[in-house]
Amino acid sequence: MAMAVFRREGRRLLPSIAARPIAAIRSPLSSDQEEGLLGVRSISTQVVRNRMKSVKNIQKITKAMKMVAASKLRAVQGRAENSRGLWQPFTALLGDNPSIDVKKSVVVTLSSDKGLCGGINSTVVKVSRALYKLNAGPEKEVQFVIVGEKAKAIMFRDSKNDIVLSVTELNKNPLNYAQVSVLADDILKNVEFDALRIVYNKFHSVVAFLPTVSTVLSPEIIEKESEIGGKLGELDSYEIEGGETKGEILQNLAEFQFSCVMFNAVLENACSEMGARMSAMDSSSRNAGEMLDRLTLTYNRTRQASITTELIEIISGASALEAAK
Amino acid sequence: MASNAAVPFWRAAGMTYITYSNICANLVRNCLKEPFKAESINREKVHFSLSKWSDGKPQKPVLRSDTPQV
């Protein structure tokens, strides 16, 4: 009891340098912490120790999440790069017309279901909103199809009247073409469109993902454009086998193109999500490490200060006894 | 060239090309020998939850899945 009193007295003499950087870490639960006469707040070692333990745990968890994301990325990356070959023949045949002017555009926004993946979902939503502004106008209309929980939450705030479909839980099973094609089929059946604009994060490398827009036109628009000329005008130079007309072939091609482009977009978005999560968790573990260093310094300073205080008390007590003799 | 009325049978039945190709793919998968057949069927499982929106409100979600939850 007496020692505790002496300890308190000793703390008041401490310069407040030790107290200032840790002013933010006060915890009301500790019984050792108090405020001195001069307004000096000092932290006991218990509080700092607890904080160090929790920061270390957080560091371990984020490191583990990074490893998991890295392994998942390795698995999906090969598939995403291979799936790029699915839509390339379509672009070679039909061209890419992102600036086409149509009456009804549908923006398909791809995002992730889980969080902690950095800023990729917000960039995708920003691009979707920009597309909306670009394409809205008199007689023109834009609707949204949202894939993924995160974009749904963000878009719900201000664009909810334009959402026509939302899809979640797509990542429960490993991504495959059957799943994406069923999804594409559902979109085709439920939404009328002249042009589909798919917004996703294209995977360039582990640290670089750019939001990209792929445009898929409906067969009627393709017919109209092919009359105008340009790349699509050369469609007539192709010979059509079998008993189908050009219109039918265009319809089949357009549906298949949508399905292939969706498949590639979903895979690339999954890669980007893993990459973004890796870098987010990496910076998070690094921050936790720095915080741990700072806390260790504070802990050592506090510990040494309390040892010094006890020594002072003992020595002054001893010298008082000597003087009293 | 064929006349306008000669659409392929699946188009007349209301299927899209995607549905048609999925059915054909399933037929091919069923022709495989075990164990490749089980592997390939395992690979192509479908699961997602779709909900239509009207007037800014989501309707009840429809779960499209090969493994419906109990």
Side-chain angles (χ1 to χ4, degrees), chain A residues 156 160 163-164 166-169 172 176 178-179 181 185-186 243 252 255, chain B residues 2 10-11 16-19 22 43-45 47 49-51 53 56 64 69:
Chain A
F156 184 74
K160 58 181 177 176
I163 302 180
V164 73
S166 75
V167 182
T168 52
E169 290 182 36
K172 189 158 177 243
N176 53 48
Q179 197 172 6
S181 66
D185 197 31
D186 275 339
N252 294 345
E255 290 169 2
Chain B
W10 43 270
R11 180 75 67 182
T16 55
Y17 180 73
I18 301 178
T19 328
N22 270 343
R43 243 188 348 236
E44 307 282 334
K45 279 200 159 26
H47 178 101
S49 147
L50 183 80
S51 66
W53 285 52
R64 298 192 50 120
Q69 279 139 1

PDB file of all heavy atoms in Angstrom, chain A residues 156 160 163-164 166-169 172 176 178-179 181 185-186 243 252 255, chain B residues 2 10-11 16-19 22 43-45 47 49-51 53 56 64 69:
ATOM      1  N   PHE A 156     -26.895   1.257 -53.787  1.00  0.00           N
ATOM      2  CA  PHE A 156     -28.231   1.360 -53.241  1.00  0.00           C
ATOM      3  C   PHE A 156     -28.509   2.767 -52.760  1.00  0.00           C
ATOM      4  O   PHE A 156     -29.654   3.214 -52.739  1.00  0.00           O
ATOM      5  CB  PHE A 156     -28.373   0.362 -52.088  1.00  0.00           C
ATOM      6  CG  PHE A 156     -29.731   0.304 -51.501  1.00  0.00           C
ATOM      7  CD1 PHE A 156     -30.744  -0.318 -52.187  1.00  0.00           C
ATOM      8  CD2 PHE A 156     -30.017   0.891 -50.283  1.00  0.00           C
ATOM      9  CE1 PHE A 156     -32.019  -0.369 -51.666  1.00  0.00           C
ATOM     10  CE2 PHE A 156     -31.277   0.836 -49.759  1.00  0.00           C
ATOM     11  CZ  PHE A 156     -32.277   0.205 -50.432  1.00  0.00           C
ATOM     12  N   LYS A 160     -30.744   3.573 -56.682  1.00  0.00           N
ATOM     13  CA  LYS A 160     -31.507   2.347 -56.520  1.00  0.00           C
ATOM     14  C   LYS A 160     -32.684   2.255 -57.459  1.00  0.00           C
ATOM     15  O   LYS A 160     -33.193   1.182 -57.724  1.00  0.00           O
ATOM     16  CB  LYS A 160     -31.966   2.177 -55.077  1.00  0.00           C
ATOM     17  CG  LYS A 160     -32.807   3.298 -54.565  1.00  0.00           C
ATOM     18  CD  LYS A 160     -33.154   3.019 -53.143  1.00  0.00           C
ATOM     19  CE  LYS A 160     -33.929   4.187 -52.613  1.00  0.00           C
ATOM     20  NZ  LYS A 160     -34.403   4.009 -51.289  1.00  0.00           N
ATOM     21  N   ILE A 163     -31.715   0.203 -60.704  1.00  0.00           N
ATOM     22  CA  ILE A 163     -31.207  -1.173 -60.636  1.00  0.00           C
ATOM     23  C   ILE A 163     -32.304  -2.112 -61.088  1.00  0.00           C
ATOM     24  O   ILE A 163     -33.459  -1.982 -60.673  1.00  0.00           O
ATOM     25  CB  ILE A 163     -30.788  -1.515 -59.204  1.00  0.00           C
ATOM     26  CG1 ILE A 163     -29.742  -0.535 -58.727  1.00  0.00           C
ATOM     27  CG2 ILE A 163     -30.242  -2.907 -59.135  1.00  0.00           C
ATOM     28  CD1 ILE A 163     -29.293  -0.815 -57.327  1.00  0.00           C
ATOM     29  N   VAL A 164     -31.937  -3.056 -61.937  1.00  0.00           N
ATOM     30  CA  VAL A 164     -32.970  -3.953 -62.411  1.00  0.00           C
ATOM     31  C   VAL A 164     -32.767  -5.381 -61.907  1.00  0.00           C
ATOM     32  O   VAL A 164     -33.710  -6.130 -61.731  1.00  0.00           O
ATOM     33  CB  VAL A 164     -33.037  -3.881 -63.954  1.00  0.00           C
ATOM     34  CG1 VAL A 164     -31.859  -4.576 -64.563  1.00  0.00           C
ATOM     35  CG2 VAL A 164     -34.315  -4.453 -64.470  1.00  0.00           C
ATOM     36  N   SER A 166     -30.009  -7.875 -59.215  1.00  0.00           N
ATOM     37  CA  SER A 166     -28.767  -7.958 -58.443  1.00  0.00           C
ATOM     38  C   SER A 166     -28.476  -9.417 -58.153  1.00  0.00           C
ATOM     39  O   SER A 166     -29.383 -10.212 -57.900  1.00  0.00           O
ATOM     40  CB  SER A 166     -28.867  -7.153 -57.150  1.00  0.00           C
ATOM     41  OG  SER A 166     -29.644  -7.819 -56.213  1.00  0.00           O
ATOM     42  N   VAL A 167     -27.201  -9.750 -58.210  1.00  0.00           N
ATOM     43  CA  VAL A 167     -26.772 -11.144 -58.092  1.00  0.00           C
ATOM     44  C   VAL A 167     -25.744 -11.233 -56.977  1.00  0.00           C
ATOM     45  O   VAL A 167     -24.826 -10.425 -56.919  1.00  0.00           O
ATOM     46  CB  VAL A 167     -26.113 -11.605 -59.410  1.00  0.00           C
ATOM     47  CG1 VAL A 167     -25.722 -13.054 -59.320  1.00  0.00           C
ATOM     48  CG2 VAL A 167     -27.050 -11.376 -60.559  1.00  0.00           C
ATOM     49  N   THR A 168     -25.868 -12.195 -56.105  1.00  0.00           N
ATOM     50  CA  THR A 168     -24.874 -12.374 -55.051  1.00  0.00           C
ATOM     51  C   THR A 168     -24.519 -13.851 -54.941  1.00  0.00           C
ATOM     52  O   THR A 168     -25.114 -14.690 -55.601  1.00  0.00           O
ATOM     53  CB  THR A 168     -25.404 -11.891 -53.696  1.00  0.00           C
ATOM     54  OG1 THR A 168     -26.655 -12.511 -53.458  1.00  0.00           O
ATOM     55  CG2 THR A 168     -25.549 -10.407 -53.662  1.00  0.00           C
ATOM     56  N   GLU A 169     -23.540 -14.138 -54.095  1.00  0.00           N
ATOM     57  CA  GLU A 169     -23.109 -15.503 -53.817  1.00  0.00           C
ATOM     58  C   GLU A 169     -22.564 -16.186 -55.054  1.00  0.00           C
ATOM     59  O   GLU A 169     -22.678 -17.409 -55.199  1.00  0.00           O
ATOM     60  CB  GLU A 169     -24.263 -16.357 -53.269  1.00  0.00           C
ATOM     61  CG  GLU A 169     -24.673 -15.947 -51.871  1.00  0.00           C
ATOM     62  CD  GLU A 169     -25.767 -16.855 -51.380  1.00  0.00           C
ATOM     63  OE1 GLU A 169     -25.728 -18.043 -51.715  1.00  0.00           O
ATOM     64  OE2 GLU A 169     -26.654 -16.355 -50.686  1.00  0.00           O
ATOM     65  N   LYS A 172     -19.378 -18.699 -54.392  1.00  0.00           N
ATOM     66  CA  LYS A 172     -19.443 -19.796 -53.419  1.00  0.00           C
ATOM     67  C   LYS A 172     -18.727 -21.021 -53.970  1.00  0.00           C
ATOM     68  O   LYS A 172     -17.958 -21.668 -53.283  1.00  0.00           O
ATOM     69  CB  LYS A 172     -20.898 -20.109 -53.136  1.00  0.00           C
ATOM     70  CG  LYS A 172     -21.053 -21.059 -52.023  1.00  0.00           C
ATOM     71  CD  LYS A 172     -22.443 -20.940 -51.422  1.00  0.00           C
ATOM     72  CE  LYS A 172     -22.595 -21.973 -50.348  1.00  0.00           C
ATOM     73  NZ  LYS A 172     -23.612 -22.953 -50.586  1.00  0.00           N
ATOM     74  N   ASN A 176     -16.812 -21.068 -62.874  1.00  0.00           N
ATOM     75  CA  ASN A 176     -16.745 -21.884 -64.077  1.00  0.00           C
ATOM     76  C   ASN A 176     -17.677 -21.319 -65.122  1.00  0.00           C
ATOM     77  O   ASN A 176     -18.522 -20.464 -64.839  1.00  0.00           O
ATOM     78  CB  ASN A 176     -17.118 -23.330 -63.760  1.00  0.00           C
ATOM     79  CG  ASN A 176     -18.443 -23.412 -63.051  1.00  0.00           C
ATOM     80  OD1 ASN A 176     -19.428 -22.813 -63.452  1.00  0.00           O
ATOM     81  ND2 ASN A 176     -18.493 -24.164 -61.979  1.00  0.00           N
ATOM     82  N   ALA A 178     -20.111 -22.692 -66.805  1.00  0.00           N
ATOM     83  CA  ALA A 178     -21.534 -23.042 -66.724  1.00  0.00           C
ATOM     84  C   ALA A 178     -22.290 -22.017 -65.875  1.00  0.00           C
ATOM     85  O   ALA A 178     -23.369 -21.545 -66.235  1.00  0.00           O
ATOM     86  CB  ALA A 178     -21.698 -24.438 -66.135  1.00  0.00           C
ATOM     87  N   GLN A 179     -21.669 -21.661 -64.740  1.00  0.00           N
ATOM     88  CA  GLN A 179     -22.311 -20.725 -63.840  1.00  0.00           C
ATOM     89  C   GLN A 179     -22.511 -19.364 -64.497  1.00  0.00           C
ATOM     90  O   GLN A 179     -23.594 -18.774 -64.433  1.00  0.00           O
ATOM     91  CB  GLN A 179     -21.388 -20.576 -62.633  1.00  0.00           C
ATOM     92  CG  GLN A 179     -21.993 -19.984 -61.446  1.00  0.00           C
ATOM     93  CD  GLN A 179     -21.014 -20.091 -60.304  1.00  0.00           C
ATOM     94  OE1 GLN A 179     -19.879 -20.507 -60.487  1.00  0.00           O
ATOM     95  NE2 GLN A 179     -21.434 -19.735 -59.142  1.00  0.00           N
ATOM     96  N   SER A 181     -22.574 -18.679 -67.623  1.00  0.00           N
ATOM     97  CA  SER A 181     -23.483 -18.670 -68.764  1.00  0.00           C
ATOM     98  C   SER A 181     -24.931 -18.701 -68.313  1.00  0.00           C
ATOM     99  O   SER A 181     -25.799 -18.068 -68.932  1.00  0.00           O
ATOM    100  CB  SER A 181     -23.177 -19.822 -69.710  1.00  0.00           C
ATOM    101  OG  SER A 181     -23.455 -21.036 -69.082  1.00  0.00           O
ATOM    102  N   ASP A 185     -27.561 -15.866 -69.238  1.00  0.00           N
ATOM    103  CA  ASP A 185     -28.859 -16.207 -69.765  1.00  0.00           C
ATOM    104  C   ASP A 185     -29.978 -15.505 -69.001  1.00  0.00           C
ATOM    105  O   ASP A 185     -30.927 -14.971 -69.592  1.00  0.00           O
ATOM    106  CB  ASP A 185     -29.032 -17.731 -69.682  1.00  0.00           C
ATOM    107  CG  ASP A 185     -30.146 -18.207 -70.552  1.00  0.00           C
ATOM    108  OD1 ASP A 185     -30.385 -17.572 -71.592  1.00  0.00           O
ATOM    109  OD2 ASP A 185     -30.792 -19.186 -70.188  1.00  0.00           O
ATOM    110  N   ASP A 186     -29.841 -15.502 -67.668  1.00  0.00           N
ATOM    111  CA  ASP A 186     -30.857 -14.823 -66.851  1.00  0.00           C
ATOM    112  C   ASP A 186     -30.915 -13.345 -67.173  1.00  0.00           C
ATOM    113  O   ASP A 186     -31.990 -12.747 -67.266  1.00  0.00           O
ATOM    114  CB  ASP A 186     -30.532 -14.993 -65.366  1.00  0.00           C
ATOM    115  CG  ASP A 186     -31.088 -16.292 -64.837  1.00  0.00           C
ATOM    116  OD1 ASP A 186     -32.014 -16.829 -65.472  1.00  0.00           O
ATOM    117  OD2 ASP A 186     -30.607 -16.760 -63.798  1.00  0.00           O
ATOM    118  N   GLY A 243     -28.260 -23.499 -93.051  1.00  0.00           N
ATOM    119  CA  GLY A 243     -29.521 -22.926 -93.482  1.00  0.00           C
ATOM    120  C   GLY A 243     -29.933 -21.707 -92.669  1.00  0.00           C
ATOM    121  O   GLY A 243     -31.115 -21.402 -92.557  1.00  0.00           O
ATOM    122  N   ASN A 252     -27.162 -15.476 -82.419  1.00  0.00           N
ATOM    123  CA  ASN A 252     -26.382 -16.477 -81.692  1.00  0.00           C
ATOM    124  C   ASN A 252     -25.041 -15.920 -81.262  1.00  0.00           C
ATOM    125  O   ASN A 252     -24.598 -16.114 -80.133  1.00  0.00           O
ATOM    126  CB  ASN A 252     -26.135 -17.699 -82.587  1.00  0.00           C
ATOM    127  CG  ASN A 252     -27.413 -18.429 -82.900  1.00  0.00           C
ATOM    128  OD1 ASN A 252     -28.418 -18.204 -82.254  1.00  0.00           O
ATOM    129  ND2 ASN A 252     -27.360 -19.321 -83.881  1.00  0.00           N
ATOM    130  N   GLU A 255     -25.311 -13.475 -78.318  1.00  0.00           N
ATOM    131  CA  GLU A 255     -25.513 -14.112 -77.021  1.00  0.00           C
ATOM    132  C   GLU A 255     -24.239 -14.787 -76.542  1.00  0.00           C
ATOM    133  O   GLU A 255     -23.847 -14.677 -75.382  1.00  0.00           O
ATOM    134  CB  GLU A 255     -26.645 -15.131 -77.127  1.00  0.00           C
ATOM    135  CG  GLU A 255     -27.985 -14.477 -77.306  1.00  0.00           C
ATOM    136  CD  GLU A 255     -29.050 -15.484 -77.671  1.00  0.00           C
ATOM    137  OE1 GLU A 255     -28.739 -16.683 -77.739  1.00  0.00           O
ATOM    138  OE2 GLU A 255     -30.184 -15.060 -77.874  1.00  0.00           O
TER     139      GLU A 255
ATOM    140  N   ALA B   2     -32.439 -19.655 -96.309  1.00  0.00           N
ATOM    141  CA  ALA B   2     -33.676 -20.110 -95.659  1.00  0.00           C
ATOM    142  C   ALA B   2     -34.604 -18.928 -95.442  1.00  0.00           C
ATOM    143  O   ALA B   2     -34.169 -17.794 -95.296  1.00  0.00           O
ATOM    144  CB  ALA B   2     -33.345 -20.759 -94.319  1.00  0.00           C
ATOM    145  N   TRP B  10     -34.712 -24.988 -81.310  1.00  0.00           N
ATOM    146  CA  TRP B  10     -34.546 -24.517 -79.940  1.00  0.00           C
ATOM    147  C   TRP B  10     -34.882 -23.041 -79.819  1.00  0.00           C
ATOM    148  O   TRP B  10     -35.369 -22.575 -78.788  1.00  0.00           O
ATOM    149  CB  TRP B  10     -33.124 -24.783 -79.441  1.00  0.00           C
ATOM    150  CG  TRP B  10     -32.036 -24.487 -80.406  1.00  0.00           C
ATOM    151  CD1 TRP B  10     -31.485 -25.329 -81.313  1.00  0.00           C
ATOM    152  CD2 TRP B  10     -31.373 -23.241 -80.565  1.00  0.00           C
ATOM    153  NE1 TRP B  10     -30.511 -24.705 -82.029  1.00  0.00           N
ATOM    154  CE2 TRP B  10     -30.408 -23.416 -81.584  1.00  0.00           C
ATOM    155  CE3 TRP B  10     -31.460 -21.979 -79.948  1.00  0.00           C
ATOM    156  CZ2 TRP B  10     -29.562 -22.404 -81.998  1.00  0.00           C
ATOM    157  CZ3 TRP B  10     -30.622 -20.964 -80.348  1.00  0.00           C
ATOM    158  CH2 TRP B  10     -29.684 -21.198 -81.379  1.00  0.00           C
ATOM    159  N   ARG B  11     -34.664 -22.302 -80.864  1.00  0.00           N
ATOM    160  CA  ARG B  11     -35.022 -20.885 -80.795  1.00  0.00           C
ATOM    161  C   ARG B  11     -36.534 -20.742 -80.756  1.00  0.00           C
ATOM    162  O   ARG B  11     -37.079 -19.898 -80.068  1.00  0.00           O
ATOM    163  CB  ARG B  11     -34.426 -20.168 -82.024  1.00  0.00           C
ATOM    164  CG  ARG B  11     -34.702 -18.723 -82.095  1.00  0.00           C
ATOM    165  CD  ARG B  11     -33.915 -17.901 -81.151  1.00  0.00           C
ATOM    166  NE  ARG B  11     -32.488 -17.840 -81.396  1.00  0.00           N
ATOM    167  CZ  ARG B  11     -31.650 -17.177 -80.610  1.00  0.00           C
ATOM    168  NH1 ARG B  11     -32.102 -16.578 -79.560  1.00  0.00           N
ATOM    169  NH2 ARG B  11     -30.374 -17.157 -80.872  1.00  0.00           N
ATOM    170  N   THR B  16     -32.334 -19.583 -75.523  1.00  0.00           N
ATOM    171  CA  THR B  16     -31.300 -18.785 -76.167  1.00  0.00           C
ATOM    172  C   THR B  16     -30.184 -19.727 -76.601  1.00  0.00           C
ATOM    173  O   THR B  16     -30.134 -20.889 -76.212  1.00  0.00           O
ATOM    174  CB  THR B  16     -30.711 -17.768 -75.189  1.00  0.00           C
ATOM    175  OG1 THR B  16     -30.251 -18.484 -74.046  1.00  0.00           O
ATOM    176  CG2 THR B  16     -31.740 -16.762 -74.773  1.00  0.00           C
ATOM    177  N   TYR B  17     -29.258 -19.152 -77.347  1.00  0.00           N
ATOM    178  CA  TYR B  17     -28.134 -19.959 -77.802  1.00  0.00           C
ATOM    179  C   TYR B  17     -27.326 -20.475 -76.619  1.00  0.00           C
ATOM    180  O   TYR B  17     -26.757 -21.568 -76.657  1.00  0.00           O
ATOM    181  CB  TYR B  17     -27.244 -19.115 -78.717  1.00  0.00           C
ATOM    182  CG  TYR B  17     -26.054 -19.854 -79.230  1.00  0.00           C
ATOM    183  CD1 TYR B  17     -26.194 -20.832 -80.197  1.00  0.00           C
ATOM    184  CD2 TYR B  17     -24.778 -19.601 -78.743  1.00  0.00           C
ATOM    185  CE1 TYR B  17     -25.110 -21.525 -80.665  1.00  0.00           C
ATOM    186  CE2 TYR B  17     -23.693 -20.287 -79.209  1.00  0.00           C
ATOM    187  CZ  TYR B  17     -23.867 -21.249 -80.170  1.00  0.00           C
ATOM    188  OH  TYR B  17     -22.792 -21.945 -80.626  1.00  0.00           O
ATOM    189  N   ILE B  18     -27.274 -19.671 -75.565  1.00  0.00           N
ATOM    190  CA  ILE B  18     -26.490 -20.063 -74.398  1.00  0.00           C
ATOM    191  C   ILE B  18     -27.094 -21.306 -73.748  1.00  0.00           C
ATOM    192  O   ILE B  18     -26.392 -22.263 -73.391  1.00  0.00           O
ATOM    193  CB  ILE B  18     -26.445 -18.905 -73.390  1.00  0.00           C
ATOM    194  CG1 ILE B  18     -25.825 -17.678 -74.026  1.00  0.00           C
ATOM    195  CG2 ILE B  18     -25.654 -19.297 -72.178  1.00  0.00           C
ATOM    196  CD1 ILE B  18     -25.784 -16.506 -73.120  1.00  0.00           C
ATOM    197  N   THR B  19     -28.417 -21.306 -73.603  1.00  0.00           N
ATOM    198  CA  THR B  19     -29.068 -22.480 -73.003  1.00  0.00           C
ATOM    199  C   THR B  19     -28.810 -23.703 -73.861  1.00  0.00           C
ATOM    200  O   THR B  19     -28.510 -24.790 -73.364  1.00  0.00           O
ATOM    201  CB  THR B  19     -30.565 -22.238 -72.892  1.00  0.00           C
ATOM    202  OG1 THR B  19     -30.797 -20.868 -72.666  1.00  0.00           O
ATOM    203  CG2 THR B  19     -31.160 -23.042 -71.778  1.00  0.00           C
ATOM    204  N   ASN B  22     -25.355 -24.959 -73.397  1.00  0.00           N
ATOM    205  CA  ASN B  22     -25.176 -25.604 -72.093  1.00  0.00           C
ATOM    206  C   ASN B  22     -25.746 -27.007 -72.081  1.00  0.00           C
ATOM    207  O   ASN B  22     -25.155 -27.933 -71.521  1.00  0.00           O
ATOM    208  CB  ASN B  22     -25.879 -24.784 -71.006  1.00  0.00           C
ATOM    209  CG  ASN B  22     -24.960 -23.753 -70.428  1.00  0.00           C
ATOM    210  OD1 ASN B  22     -23.757 -23.858 -70.593  1.00  0.00           O
ATOM    211  ND2 ASN B  22     -25.527 -22.780 -69.757  1.00  0.00           N
ATOM    212  N   ARG B  43     -16.876 -29.924 -61.494  1.00  0.00           N
ATOM    213  CA  ARG B  43     -16.283 -28.640 -61.863  1.00  0.00           C
ATOM    214  C   ARG B  43     -17.340 -27.623 -62.235  1.00  0.00           C
ATOM    215  O   ARG B  43     -17.159 -26.439 -62.050  1.00  0.00           O
ATOM    216  CB  ARG B  43     -15.375 -28.845 -63.080  1.00  0.00           C
ATOM    217  CG  ARG B  43     -13.949 -28.533 -62.797  1.00  0.00           C
ATOM    218  CD  ARG B  43     -13.121 -28.547 -64.042  1.00  0.00           C
ATOM    219  NE  ARG B  43     -13.699 -29.100 -65.219  1.00  0.00           N
ATOM    220  CZ  ARG B  43     -13.136 -30.097 -65.905  1.00  0.00           C
ATOM    221  NH1 ARG B  43     -12.039 -30.641 -65.470  1.00  0.00           N
ATOM    222  NH2 ARG B  43     -13.710 -30.533 -66.996  1.00  0.00           N
ATOM    223  N   GLU B  44     -18.400 -28.099 -62.834  1.00  0.00           N
ATOM    224  CA  GLU B  44     -19.330 -27.159 -63.430  1.00  0.00           C
ATOM    225  C   GLU B  44     -20.582 -26.978 -62.587  1.00  0.00           C
ATOM    226  O   GLU B  44     -21.690 -27.038 -63.084  1.00  0.00           O
ATOM    227  CB  GLU B  44     -19.717 -27.626 -64.835  1.00  0.00           C
ATOM    228  CG  GLU B  44     -18.522 -27.904 -65.714  1.00  0.00           C
ATOM    229  CD  GLU B  44     -17.908 -26.632 -66.247  1.00  0.00           C
ATOM    230  OE1 GLU B  44     -18.626 -25.642 -66.354  1.00  0.00           O
ATOM    231  OE2 GLU B  44     -16.703 -26.623 -66.533  1.00  0.00           O
ATOM    232  N   LYS B  45     -20.379 -26.724 -61.293  1.00  0.00           N
ATOM    233  CA  LYS B  45     -21.549 -26.541 -60.444  1.00  0.00           C
ATOM    234  C   LYS B  45     -21.990 -25.087 -60.495  1.00  0.00           C
ATOM    235  O   LYS B  45     -21.194 -24.177 -60.515  1.00  0.00           O
ATOM    236  CB  LYS B  45     -21.175 -26.910 -59.007  1.00  0.00           C
ATOM    237  CG  LYS B  45     -21.213 -28.386 -58.755  1.00  0.00           C
ATOM    238  CD  LYS B  45     -21.331 -28.638 -57.283  1.00  0.00           C
ATOM    239  CE  LYS B  45     -21.863 -29.982 -56.909  1.00  0.00           C
ATOM    240  NZ  LYS B  45     -21.732 -31.088 -57.756  1.00  0.00           N
ATOM    241  N   HIS B  47     -24.080 -21.926 -58.776  1.00  0.00           N
ATOM    242  CA  HIS B  47     -24.731 -21.431 -57.549  1.00  0.00           C
ATOM    243  C   HIS B  47     -24.695 -19.922 -57.527  1.00  0.00           C
ATOM    244  O   HIS B  47     -23.628 -19.342 -57.487  1.00  0.00           O
ATOM    245  CB  HIS B  47     -24.020 -21.974 -56.308  1.00  0.00           C
ATOM    246  CG  HIS B  47     -24.607 -21.459 -55.034  1.00  0.00           C
ATOM    247  ND1 HIS B  47     -25.470 -22.187 -54.265  1.00  0.00           N
ATOM    248  CD2 HIS B  47     -24.483 -20.264 -54.418  1.00  0.00           C
ATOM    249  CE1 HIS B  47     -25.821 -21.472 -53.221  1.00  0.00           C
ATOM    250  NE2 HIS B  47     -25.237 -20.309 -53.282  1.00  0.00           N
ATOM    251  N   SER B  49     -27.420 -16.303 -56.376  1.00  0.00           N
ATOM    252  CA  SER B  49     -28.719 -15.853 -55.888  1.00  0.00           C
ATOM    253  C   SER B  49     -29.085 -14.577 -56.607  1.00  0.00           C
ATOM    254  O   SER B  49     -28.350 -13.599 -56.603  1.00  0.00           O
ATOM    255  CB  SER B  49     -28.619 -15.629 -54.377  1.00  0.00           C
ATOM    256  OG  SER B  49     -29.432 -14.590 -53.984  1.00  0.00           O
ATOM    257  N   LEU B  50     -30.230 -14.601 -57.268  1.00  0.00           N
ATOM    258  CA  LEU B  50     -30.604 -13.507 -58.153  1.00  0.00           C
ATOM    259  C   LEU B  50     -31.823 -12.820 -57.569  1.00  0.00           C
ATOM    260  O   LEU B  50     -32.749 -13.489 -57.120  1.00  0.00           O
ATOM    261  CB  LEU B  50     -30.956 -14.123 -59.510  1.00  0.00           C
ATOM    262  CG  LEU B  50     -31.311 -13.189 -60.641  1.00  0.00           C
ATOM    263  CD1 LEU B  50     -30.061 -12.662 -61.216  1.00  0.00           C
ATOM    264  CD2 LEU B  50     -32.051 -13.968 -61.687  1.00  0.00           C
ATOM    265  N   SER B  51     -31.844 -11.496 -57.556  1.00  0.00           N
ATOM    266  CA  SER B  51     -33.089 -10.863 -57.119  1.00  0.00           C
ATOM    267  C   SER B  51     -33.418  -9.711 -58.043  1.00  0.00           C
ATOM    268  O   SER B  51     -32.560  -8.895 -58.378  1.00  0.00           O
ATOM    269  CB  SER B  51     -32.981 -10.400 -55.674  1.00  0.00           C
ATOM    270  OG  SER B  51     -32.048  -9.388 -55.538  1.00  0.00           O
ATOM    271  N   TRP B  53     -35.268  -6.234 -59.092  1.00  0.00           N
ATOM    272  CA  TRP B  53     -35.602  -5.017 -58.354  1.00  0.00           C
ATOM    273  C   TRP B  53     -36.735  -4.308 -59.058  1.00  0.00           C
ATOM    274  O   TRP B  53     -36.785  -4.255 -60.278  1.00  0.00           O
ATOM    275  CB  TRP B  53     -34.395  -4.079 -58.338  1.00  0.00           C
ATOM    276  CG  TRP B  53     -33.324  -4.504 -57.409  1.00  0.00           C
ATOM    277  CD1 TRP B  53     -32.734  -5.724 -57.341  1.00  0.00           C
ATOM    278  CD2 TRP B  53     -32.695  -3.710 -56.426  1.00  0.00           C
ATOM    279  NE1 TRP B  53     -31.784  -5.741 -56.388  1.00  0.00           N
ATOM    280  CE2 TRP B  53     -31.737  -4.497 -55.803  1.00  0.00           C
ATOM    281  CE3 TRP B  53     -32.855  -2.389 -56.020  1.00  0.00           C
ATOM    282  CZ2 TRP B  53     -30.925  -4.025 -54.790  1.00  0.00           C
ATOM    283  CZ3 TRP B  53     -32.032  -1.912 -55.000  1.00  0.00           C
ATOM    284  CH2 TRP B  53     -31.090  -2.730 -54.407  1.00  0.00           C
ATOM    285  N   GLY B  56     -36.814   0.477 -56.993  1.00  0.00           N
ATOM    286  CA  GLY B  56     -35.786   0.701 -56.001  1.00  0.00           C
ATOM    287  C   GLY B  56     -35.823  -0.256 -54.836  1.00  0.00           C
ATOM    288  O   GLY B  56     -35.157  -0.050 -53.835  1.00  0.00           O
ATOM    289  N   ARG B  64     -30.445 -19.911 -57.547  1.00  0.00           N
ATOM    290  CA  ARG B  64     -30.310 -20.858 -58.643  1.00  0.00           C
ATOM    291  C   ARG B  64     -29.104 -21.724 -58.326  1.00  0.00           C
ATOM    292  O   ARG B  64     -28.003 -21.239 -58.333  1.00  0.00           O
ATOM    293  CB  ARG B  64     -30.104 -20.104 -59.939  1.00  0.00           C
ATOM    294  CG  ARG B  64     -31.281 -19.227 -60.262  1.00  0.00           C
ATOM    295  CD  ARG B  64     -31.165 -18.727 -61.665  1.00  0.00           C
ATOM    296  NE  ARG B  64     -30.895 -19.802 -62.574  1.00  0.00           N
ATOM    297  CZ  ARG B  64     -31.686 -20.118 -63.577  1.00  0.00           C
ATOM    298  NH1 ARG B  64     -32.800 -19.460 -63.767  1.00  0.00           N
ATOM    299  NH2 ARG B  64     -31.359 -21.092 -64.395  1.00  0.00           N
ATOM    300  N   GLN B  69     -30.063 -25.367 -50.787  1.00  0.00           N
ATOM    301  CA  GLN B  69     -29.867 -25.508 -49.341  1.00  0.00           C
ATOM    302  C   GLN B  69     -31.113 -26.010 -48.684  1.00  0.00           C
ATOM    303  O   GLN B  69     -32.224 -25.653 -49.038  1.00  0.00           O
ATOM    304  CB  GLN B  69     -29.524 -24.147 -48.724  1.00  0.00           C
ATOM    305  CG  GLN B  69     -28.082 -23.807 -48.896  1.00  0.00           C
ATOM    306  CD  GLN B  69     -27.900 -22.357 -49.252  1.00  0.00           C
ATOM    307  OE1 GLN B  69     -28.883 -21.625 -49.340  1.00  0.00           O
ATOM    308  NE2 GLN B  69     -26.690 -21.952 -49.464  1.00  0.00           N
TER     309      GLN B  69
END
